[in-house]
mmCIF file of all heavy atoms in Angstrom:
data_model
loop_
_atom_site.group_PDB
_atom_site.id
_atom_site.type_symbol
_atom_site.label_atom_id
_atom_site.label_comp_id
_atom_site.label_asym_id
_atom_site.label_seq_id
_atom_site.Cartn_x
_atom_site.Cartn_y
_atom_site.Cartn_z
ATOM 1 N N SER A 1 -161.268 -43.736 -39.593
ATOM 2 C CA SER A 1 -162.268 -43.618 -40.634
ATOM 3 C C SER A 1 -161.669 -43.124 -41.939
ATOM 4 O O SER A 1 -160.550 -42.595 -41.921
ATOM 5 C CB SER A 1 -163.300 -42.642 -40.207
ATOM 6 O OG SER A 1 -162.839 -41.330 -40.204
ATOM 7 N N PRO A 2 -162.294 -43.195 -43.069
ATOM 8 C CA PRO A 2 -161.801 -42.753 -44.346
ATOM 9 C C PRO A 2 -161.475 -41.263 -44.314
ATOM 10 O O PRO A 2 -160.420 -40.823 -44.726
ATOM 11 C CB PRO A 2 -162.827 -43.051 -45.419
ATOM 12 C CG PRO A 2 -163.576 -44.227 -44.799
ATOM 13 C CD PRO A 2 -163.508 -44.029 -43.329
ATOM 14 N N ASN A 3 -162.284 -40.486 -43.606
ATOM 15 C CA ASN A 3 -161.993 -39.016 -43.433
ATOM 16 C C ASN A 3 -160.856 -38.795 -42.594
ATOM 17 O O ASN A 3 -160.030 -37.911 -42.911
ATOM 18 C CB ASN A 3 -163.222 -38.320 -42.781
ATOM 19 C CG ASN A 3 -164.468 -38.224 -43.724
ATOM 20 O OD1 ASN A 3 -164.294 -38.414 -44.950
ATOM 21 N ND2 ASN A 3 -165.577 -38.009 -43.229
ATOM 22 N N LYS A 4 -160.634 -39.565 -41.558
ATOM 23 C CA LYS A 4 -159.440 -39.449 -40.696
ATOM 24 C C LYS A 4 -158.181 -39.884 -41.468
ATOM 25 O O LYS A 4 -157.178 -39.227 -41.279
ATOM 26 C CB LYS A 4 -159.623 -40.207 -39.412
ATOM 27 C CG LYS A 4 -158.485 -40.073 -38.450
ATOM 28 C CD LYS A 4 -158.458 -38.608 -37.884
ATOM 29 C CE LYS A 4 -157.404 -38.494 -36.852
ATOM 30 N NZ LYS A 4 -157.268 -37.079 -36.364
ATOM 31 N N LEU A 5 -158.307 -40.833 -42.313
ATOM 32 C CA LEU A 5 -157.132 -41.271 -43.076
ATOM 33 C C LEU A 5 -156.656 -40.155 -43.969
ATOM 34 O O LEU A 5 -155.458 -39.940 -44.086
ATOM 35 C CB LEU A 5 -157.448 -42.530 -43.870
ATOM 36 C CG LEU A 5 -157.535 -43.881 -43.146
ATOM 37 C CD1 LEU A 5 -158.087 -44.952 -44.022
ATOM 38 C CD2 LEU A 5 -156.209 -44.094 -42.502
ATOM 39 N N ILE A 6 -157.646 -39.496 -44.668
ATOM 40 C CA ILE A 6 -157.229 -38.431 -45.564
ATOM 41 C C ILE A 6 -156.568 -37.260 -44.770
ATOM 42 O O ILE A 6 -155.517 -36.713 -45.115
ATOM 43 C CB ILE A 6 -158.399 -37.888 -46.329
ATOM 44 C CG1 ILE A 6 -158.671 -38.977 -47.342
ATOM 45 C CG2 ILE A 6 -158.043 -36.618 -47.053
ATOM 46 C CD1 ILE A 6 -159.943 -38.734 -48.137
ATOM 47 N N GLU A 7 -157.113 -36.982 -43.588
ATOM 48 C CA GLU A 7 -156.551 -35.985 -42.646
ATOM 49 C C GLU A 7 -155.076 -36.455 -42.272
ATOM 50 O O GLU A 7 -154.224 -35.575 -42.214
ATOM 51 C CB GLU A 7 -157.397 -35.788 -41.424
ATOM 52 C CG GLU A 7 -156.881 -34.761 -40.410
ATOM 53 C CD GLU A 7 -157.769 -34.634 -39.250
ATOM 54 O OE1 GLU A 7 -158.918 -34.902 -39.219
ATOM 55 O OE2 GLU A 7 -157.212 -34.138 -38.228
ATOM 56 N N MET A 8 -154.906 -37.683 -41.906
ATOM 57 C CA MET A 8 -153.559 -38.063 -41.591
ATOM 58 C C MET A 8 -152.510 -38.067 -42.740
ATOM 59 O O MET A 8 -151.400 -37.598 -42.568
ATOM 60 C CB MET A 8 -153.651 -39.559 -41.061
ATOM 61 C CG MET A 8 -154.356 -39.706 -39.772
ATOM 62 S SD MET A 8 -154.735 -41.372 -39.223
ATOM 63 C CE MET A 8 -153.170 -42.027 -38.838
ATOM 64 N N LEU A 9 -153.088 -38.362 -43.927
ATOM 65 C CA LEU A 9 -152.213 -38.235 -45.168
ATOM 66 C C LEU A 9 -151.815 -36.739 -45.403
ATOM 67 O O LEU A 9 -150.601 -36.468 -45.733
ATOM 68 C CB LEU A 9 -152.914 -38.828 -46.329
ATOM 69 C CG LEU A 9 -152.936 -40.303 -46.416
ATOM 70 C CD1 LEU A 9 -153.885 -40.762 -47.579
ATOM 71 C CD2 LEU A 9 -151.614 -40.943 -46.608
ATOM 72 N N LEU A 10 -152.747 -35.859 -45.259
ATOM 73 C CA LEU A 10 -152.432 -34.491 -45.497
ATOM 74 C C LEU A 10 -151.551 -33.901 -44.434
ATOM 75 O O LEU A 10 -150.573 -33.219 -44.691
ATOM 76 C CB LEU A 10 -153.750 -33.644 -45.415
ATOM 77 C CG LEU A 10 -154.715 -33.766 -46.697
ATOM 78 C CD1 LEU A 10 -156.064 -33.124 -46.455
ATOM 79 C CD2 LEU A 10 -154.036 -33.229 -47.918
ATOM 80 N N GLN A 11 -151.685 -34.362 -43.180
ATOM 81 C CA GLN A 11 -150.699 -33.947 -42.137
ATOM 82 C C GLN A 11 -149.345 -34.455 -42.413
ATOM 83 O O GLN A 11 -148.338 -33.709 -42.306
ATOM 84 C CB GLN A 11 -151.212 -34.442 -40.719
ATOM 85 C CG GLN A 11 -152.403 -33.725 -40.183
ATOM 86 C CD GLN A 11 -153.010 -34.455 -38.973
ATOM 87 O OE1 GLN A 11 -152.753 -35.665 -38.727
ATOM 88 N NE2 GLN A 11 -153.835 -33.707 -38.163
ATOM 89 N N ALA A 12 -149.236 -35.634 -42.821
ATOM 90 C CA ALA A 12 -147.945 -36.269 -43.162
ATOM 91 C C ALA A 12 -147.295 -35.565 -44.310
ATOM 92 O O ALA A 12 -146.054 -35.337 -44.345
ATOM 93 C CB ALA A 12 -148.030 -37.711 -43.391
ATOM 94 N N ALA A 13 -148.096 -35.210 -45.330
ATOM 95 C CA ALA A 13 -147.588 -34.501 -46.465
ATOM 96 C C ALA A 13 -147.005 -33.168 -46.057
ATOM 97 O O ALA A 13 -145.890 -32.822 -46.586
ATOM 98 C CB ALA A 13 -148.657 -34.438 -47.568
ATOM 99 N N VAL A 14 -147.749 -32.410 -45.215
ATOM 100 C CA VAL A 14 -147.228 -31.063 -44.806
ATOM 101 C C VAL A 14 -145.986 -31.334 -44.058
ATOM 102 O O VAL A 14 -144.941 -30.558 -44.303
ATOM 103 C CB VAL A 14 -148.224 -30.401 -43.905
ATOM 104 C CG1 VAL A 14 -147.710 -29.192 -43.202
ATOM 105 C CG2 VAL A 14 -149.547 -30.025 -44.640
ATOM 106 N N LYS A 15 -145.868 -32.265 -43.162
ATOM 107 C CA LYS A 15 -144.699 -32.543 -42.394
ATOM 108 C C LYS A 15 -143.365 -32.910 -43.332
ATOM 109 O O LYS A 15 -142.405 -32.170 -43.170
ATOM 110 C CB LYS A 15 -144.848 -33.670 -41.494
ATOM 111 C CG LYS A 15 -143.627 -34.056 -40.562
ATOM 112 C CD LYS A 15 -143.844 -35.280 -39.780
ATOM 113 C CE LYS A 15 -143.476 -36.561 -40.504
ATOM 114 N NZ LYS A 15 -143.442 -37.699 -39.757
ATOM 115 N N HIS A 16 -143.664 -33.731 -44.254
ATOM 116 C CA HIS A 16 -142.511 -34.120 -45.222
ATOM 117 C C HIS A 16 -142.130 -32.914 -46.119
ATOM 118 O O HIS A 16 -140.895 -32.816 -46.301
ATOM 119 C CB HIS A 16 -142.894 -35.351 -45.925
ATOM 120 C CG HIS A 16 -143.022 -36.582 -45.077
ATOM 121 N ND1 HIS A 16 -141.901 -37.001 -44.314
ATOM 122 C CD2 HIS A 16 -144.080 -37.508 -44.804
ATOM 123 C CE1 HIS A 16 -142.339 -38.159 -43.691
ATOM 124 N NE2 HIS A 16 -143.523 -38.290 -44.017
ATOM 125 N N VAL A 17 -143.063 -32.198 -46.512
ATOM 126 C CA VAL A 17 -142.737 -31.029 -47.325
ATOM 127 C C VAL A 17 -141.854 -30.049 -46.609
ATOM 128 O O VAL A 17 -140.762 -29.587 -47.089
ATOM 129 C CB VAL A 17 -143.899 -30.357 -47.994
ATOM 130 C CG1 VAL A 17 -143.482 -29.003 -48.715
ATOM 131 C CG2 VAL A 17 -144.574 -31.281 -49.015
ATOM 132 N N LYS A 18 -142.232 -29.759 -45.317
ATOM 133 C CA LYS A 18 -141.626 -28.785 -44.545
ATOM 134 C C LYS A 18 -140.208 -29.282 -44.195
ATOM 135 O O LYS A 18 -139.173 -28.525 -44.279
ATOM 136 C CB LYS A 18 -142.372 -28.449 -43.302
ATOM 137 C CG LYS A 18 -143.612 -27.571 -43.578
ATOM 138 C CD LYS A 18 -144.342 -27.134 -42.291
ATOM 139 C CE LYS A 18 -145.452 -26.198 -42.634
ATOM 140 N NZ LYS A 18 -146.173 -25.808 -41.413
ATOM 141 N N LEU A 19 -140.056 -30.679 -43.877
ATOM 142 C CA LEU A 19 -138.824 -31.210 -43.627
ATOM 143 C C LEU A 19 -137.877 -31.210 -44.746
ATOM 144 O O LEU A 19 -136.686 -30.911 -44.676
ATOM 145 C CB LEU A 19 -138.922 -32.631 -43.048
ATOM 146 C CG LEU A 19 -139.408 -32.744 -41.627
ATOM 147 C CD1 LEU A 19 -139.780 -34.238 -41.353
ATOM 148 C CD2 LEU A 19 -138.554 -32.190 -40.619
ATOM 149 N N GLY A 20 -138.498 -31.416 -45.991
ATOM 150 C CA GLY A 20 -137.675 -31.291 -47.238
ATOM 151 C C GLY A 20 -137.273 -29.823 -47.447
ATOM 152 O O GLY A 20 -136.037 -29.681 -47.908
ATOM 153 N N GLN A 21 -138.093 -28.962 -47.197
ATOM 154 C CA GLN A 21 -137.666 -27.596 -47.434
ATOM 155 C C GLN A 21 -136.563 -27.279 -46.378
ATOM 156 O O GLN A 21 -135.587 -26.493 -46.823
ATOM 157 C CB GLN A 21 -138.894 -26.694 -47.112
ATOM 158 C CG GLN A 21 -138.798 -25.236 -47.333
ATOM 159 C CD GLN A 21 -140.075 -24.422 -47.028
ATOM 160 O OE1 GLN A 21 -141.062 -24.992 -46.597
ATOM 161 N NE2 GLN A 21 -140.045 -23.173 -47.102
ATOM 162 N N ILE A 22 -136.619 -27.659 -45.160
ATOM 163 C CA ILE A 22 -135.504 -27.271 -44.193
ATOM 164 C C ILE A 22 -134.251 -27.963 -44.717
ATOM 165 O O ILE A 22 -133.123 -27.346 -44.668
ATOM 166 C CB ILE A 22 -135.882 -27.881 -42.815
ATOM 167 C CG1 ILE A 22 -137.002 -27.039 -42.302
ATOM 168 C CG2 ILE A 22 -134.693 -27.873 -41.917
ATOM 169 C CD1 ILE A 22 -137.697 -27.556 -41.004
ATOM 170 N N ALA A 23 -134.293 -29.216 -45.203
ATOM 171 C CA ALA A 23 -133.151 -29.960 -45.644
ATOM 172 C C ALA A 23 -132.533 -29.231 -46.862
ATOM 173 O O ALA A 23 -131.293 -29.115 -46.896
ATOM 174 C CB ALA A 23 -133.452 -31.400 -46.067
ATOM 175 N N ILE A 24 -133.333 -28.664 -47.694
ATOM 176 C CA ILE A 24 -132.748 -27.869 -48.912
ATOM 177 C C ILE A 24 -131.998 -26.731 -48.344
ATOM 178 O O ILE A 24 -130.884 -26.422 -48.809
ATOM 179 C CB ILE A 24 -133.943 -27.457 -49.805
ATOM 180 C CG1 ILE A 24 -134.461 -28.641 -50.624
ATOM 181 C CG2 ILE A 24 -133.421 -26.442 -50.828
ATOM 182 C CD1 ILE A 24 -135.695 -28.355 -51.431
ATOM 183 N N THR A 25 -132.622 -25.964 -47.447
ATOM 184 C CA THR A 25 -132.000 -24.724 -46.914
ATOM 185 C C THR A 25 -130.689 -25.053 -46.122
ATOM 186 O O THR A 25 -129.767 -24.244 -46.011
ATOM 187 C CB THR A 25 -132.959 -23.865 -46.013
ATOM 188 O OG1 THR A 25 -133.437 -24.611 -44.949
ATOM 189 C CG2 THR A 25 -134.081 -23.365 -46.904
ATOM 190 N N GLU A 26 -130.615 -26.264 -45.616
ATOM 191 C CA GLU A 26 -129.482 -26.696 -44.798
ATOM 192 C C GLU A 26 -128.454 -27.462 -45.690
ATOM 193 O O GLU A 26 -127.580 -28.048 -45.162
ATOM 194 C CB GLU A 26 -129.805 -27.553 -43.655
ATOM 195 C CG GLU A 26 -130.627 -26.633 -42.578
ATOM 196 C CD GLU A 26 -131.119 -27.471 -41.338
ATOM 197 O OE1 GLU A 26 -130.933 -28.726 -41.363
ATOM 198 O OE2 GLU A 26 -131.599 -26.919 -40.452
ATOM 199 N N ALA A 27 -128.737 -27.445 -46.959
ATOM 200 C CA ALA A 27 -127.779 -28.036 -47.890
ATOM 201 C C ALA A 27 -127.554 -29.524 -47.637
ATOM 202 O O ALA A 27 -126.450 -30.086 -47.651
ATOM 203 C CB ALA A 27 -126.469 -27.331 -47.987
ATOM 204 N N GLN A 28 -128.704 -30.241 -47.486
ATOM 205 C CA GLN A 28 -128.671 -31.663 -47.177
ATOM 206 C C GLN A 28 -129.591 -32.351 -48.290
ATOM 207 O O GLN A 28 -130.693 -32.643 -48.106
ATOM 208 C CB GLN A 28 -129.326 -32.095 -45.796
ATOM 209 C CG GLN A 28 -128.507 -31.569 -44.681
ATOM 210 C CD GLN A 28 -129.180 -31.791 -43.304
ATOM 211 O OE1 GLN A 28 -130.408 -31.961 -43.206
ATOM 212 N NE2 GLN A 28 -128.375 -31.805 -42.309
ATOM 213 N N PRO A 29 -129.006 -32.455 -49.491
ATOM 214 C CA PRO A 29 -129.777 -32.873 -50.656
ATOM 215 C C PRO A 29 -130.317 -34.305 -50.555
ATOM 216 O O PRO A 29 -131.468 -34.525 -50.909
ATOM 217 C CB PRO A 29 -128.827 -32.817 -51.846
ATOM 218 C CG PRO A 29 -127.404 -32.839 -51.258
ATOM 219 C CD PRO A 29 -127.550 -32.231 -49.915
ATOM 220 N N ALA A 30 -129.605 -35.219 -49.920
ATOM 221 C CA ALA A 30 -130.152 -36.539 -49.756
ATOM 222 C C ALA A 30 -131.341 -36.584 -48.881
ATOM 223 O O ALA A 30 -132.371 -37.227 -49.113
ATOM 224 C CB ALA A 30 -129.108 -37.504 -49.236
ATOM 225 N N LYS A 31 -131.285 -35.830 -47.752
ATOM 226 C CA LYS A 31 -132.434 -35.797 -46.855
ATOM 227 C C LYS A 31 -133.558 -35.099 -47.544
ATOM 228 O O LYS A 31 -134.716 -35.483 -47.272
ATOM 229 C CB LYS A 31 -132.084 -35.128 -45.535
ATOM 230 C CG LYS A 31 -133.164 -35.055 -44.548
ATOM 231 C CD LYS A 31 -132.543 -34.455 -43.235
ATOM 232 C CE LYS A 31 -133.691 -34.514 -42.166
ATOM 233 N NZ LYS A 31 -133.235 -33.858 -40.947
ATOM 234 N N ALA A 32 -133.343 -34.014 -48.242
ATOM 235 C CA ALA A 32 -134.354 -33.275 -48.990
ATOM 236 C C ALA A 32 -135.104 -34.224 -50.015
ATOM 237 O O ALA A 32 -136.309 -34.257 -49.997
ATOM 238 C CB ALA A 32 -133.732 -32.061 -49.706
ATOM 239 N N HIS A 33 -134.225 -34.935 -50.666
ATOM 240 C CA HIS A 33 -134.850 -35.835 -51.702
ATOM 241 C C HIS A 33 -135.725 -36.914 -50.934
ATOM 242 O O HIS A 33 -136.869 -37.211 -51.390
ATOM 243 C CB HIS A 33 -133.765 -36.660 -52.457
ATOM 244 C CG HIS A 33 -134.288 -37.695 -53.350
ATOM 245 N ND1 HIS A 33 -134.879 -37.477 -54.574
ATOM 246 C CD2 HIS A 33 -134.304 -39.066 -53.150
ATOM 247 C CE1 HIS A 33 -135.244 -38.595 -55.120
ATOM 248 N NE2 HIS A 33 -134.845 -39.619 -54.284
ATOM 249 N N GLN A 34 -135.244 -37.497 -49.874
ATOM 250 C CA GLN A 34 -136.059 -38.452 -49.155
ATOM 251 C C GLN A 34 -137.422 -37.820 -48.713
ATOM 252 O O GLN A 34 -138.409 -38.471 -48.871
ATOM 253 C CB GLN A 34 -135.219 -38.965 -47.962
ATOM 254 C CG GLN A 34 -135.991 -39.880 -47.120
ATOM 255 C CD GLN A 34 -135.170 -40.319 -45.837
ATOM 256 O OE1 GLN A 34 -134.528 -39.516 -45.265
ATOM 257 N NE2 GLN A 34 -135.272 -41.601 -45.476
ATOM 258 N N GLN A 35 -137.344 -36.730 -48.075
ATOM 259 C CA GLN A 35 -138.617 -36.095 -47.560
ATOM 260 C C GLN A 35 -139.584 -35.606 -48.691
ATOM 261 O O GLN A 35 -140.822 -35.835 -48.557
ATOM 262 C CB GLN A 35 -138.276 -34.890 -46.640
ATOM 263 C CG GLN A 35 -137.442 -35.305 -45.466
ATOM 264 C CD GLN A 35 -138.287 -36.180 -44.485
ATOM 265 O OE1 GLN A 35 -139.481 -36.145 -44.413
ATOM 266 N NE2 GLN A 35 -137.473 -37.088 -43.833
ATOM 267 N N LEU A 36 -139.092 -35.034 -49.684
ATOM 268 C CA LEU A 36 -139.850 -34.561 -50.751
ATOM 269 C C LEU A 36 -140.488 -35.765 -51.576
ATOM 270 O O LEU A 36 -141.671 -35.726 -51.965
ATOM 271 C CB LEU A 36 -139.185 -33.672 -51.644
ATOM 272 C CG LEU A 36 -138.722 -32.398 -51.133
ATOM 273 C CD1 LEU A 36 -137.875 -31.531 -52.045
ATOM 274 C CD2 LEU A 36 -139.917 -31.548 -50.646
ATOM 275 N N THR A 37 -139.773 -36.871 -51.714
ATOM 276 C CA THR A 37 -140.285 -38.028 -52.258
ATOM 277 C C THR A 37 -141.435 -38.694 -51.489
ATOM 278 O O THR A 37 -142.415 -39.131 -51.995
ATOM 279 C CB THR A 37 -139.195 -39.122 -52.595
ATOM 280 O OG1 THR A 37 -138.239 -38.506 -53.345
ATOM 281 C CG2 THR A 37 -139.674 -40.273 -53.233
ATOM 282 N N LYS A 38 -141.338 -38.678 -50.166
ATOM 283 C CA LYS A 38 -142.402 -39.144 -49.327
ATOM 284 C C LYS A 38 -143.654 -38.217 -49.555
ATOM 285 O O LYS A 38 -144.763 -38.889 -49.634
ATOM 286 C CB LYS A 38 -141.960 -39.110 -47.819
ATOM 287 C CG LYS A 38 -140.983 -40.204 -47.467
ATOM 288 C CD LYS A 38 -140.686 -40.142 -45.981
ATOM 289 C CE LYS A 38 -139.683 -41.227 -45.637
ATOM 290 N NZ LYS A 38 -139.317 -41.128 -44.242
ATOM 291 N N ALA A 39 -143.472 -36.933 -49.686
ATOM 292 C CA ALA A 39 -144.721 -36.146 -49.862
ATOM 293 C C ALA A 39 -145.179 -36.335 -51.205
ATOM 294 O O ALA A 39 -146.484 -36.379 -51.355
ATOM 295 C CB ALA A 39 -144.270 -34.597 -49.722
ATOM 296 N N GLN A 40 -144.376 -36.558 -52.214
ATOM 297 C CA GLN A 40 -144.825 -36.867 -53.593
ATOM 298 C C GLN A 40 -145.655 -38.179 -53.517
ATOM 299 O O GLN A 40 -146.712 -38.261 -54.272
ATOM 300 C CB GLN A 40 -143.670 -36.972 -54.606
ATOM 301 C CG GLN A 40 -143.073 -35.742 -54.917
ATOM 302 C CD GLN A 40 -141.761 -35.896 -55.608
ATOM 303 O OE1 GLN A 40 -140.610 -35.615 -55.107
ATOM 304 N NE2 GLN A 40 -141.827 -36.424 -56.787
ATOM 305 N N ASN A 41 -145.204 -39.187 -52.783
ATOM 306 C CA ASN A 41 -145.986 -40.404 -52.841
ATOM 307 C C ASN A 41 -147.330 -40.265 -52.137
ATOM 308 O O ASN A 41 -148.303 -40.908 -52.537
ATOM 309 C CB ASN A 41 -145.082 -41.465 -52.086
ATOM 310 C CG ASN A 41 -143.949 -41.919 -53.034
ATOM 311 O OD1 ASN A 41 -143.926 -41.832 -54.148
ATOM 312 N ND2 ASN A 41 -142.871 -42.458 -52.340
ATOM 313 N N ILE A 42 -147.399 -39.379 -51.086
ATOM 314 C CA ILE A 42 -148.647 -39.215 -50.428
ATOM 315 C C ILE A 42 -149.631 -38.502 -51.409
ATOM 316 O O ILE A 42 -150.802 -38.819 -51.481
ATOM 317 C CB ILE A 42 -148.394 -38.297 -49.111
ATOM 318 C CG1 ILE A 42 -147.674 -39.220 -48.136
ATOM 319 C CG2 ILE A 42 -149.780 -37.786 -48.686
ATOM 320 C CD1 ILE A 42 -147.246 -38.353 -46.889
#
């Protein structure tokens, strides 16, 4: 449903931001960029 789609997008955004954050702290700039860009697109 439209409501479920928004929920799924929010869940994916949280996931990608957290993965980007982890990549930054682990000094993996390419991975951080990839994850944060996915969250930005969401």
Side-chain angles (χ1 to χ4, degrees):
S1 69
N3 289 342
K4 185 65 176 174
L5 285 174
I6 291 174
E7 180 180 339
M8 292 168 71
L9 285 170
L10 289 170
Q11 288 171 337
V14 169
K15 178 184 91 170
H16 291 300
V17 171
K18 287 182 177 181
L19 289 173
Q21 186 181 358
I22 290 167
I24 290 170
T25 59
E26 293 178 353
Q28 297 176 336
K31 186 174 181 181
H33 174 76
Q34 179 186 36
Q35 296 300 324
L36 294 175
T37 301
K38 287 179 180 182
Q40 288 169 247
N41 289 337
I42 291 169

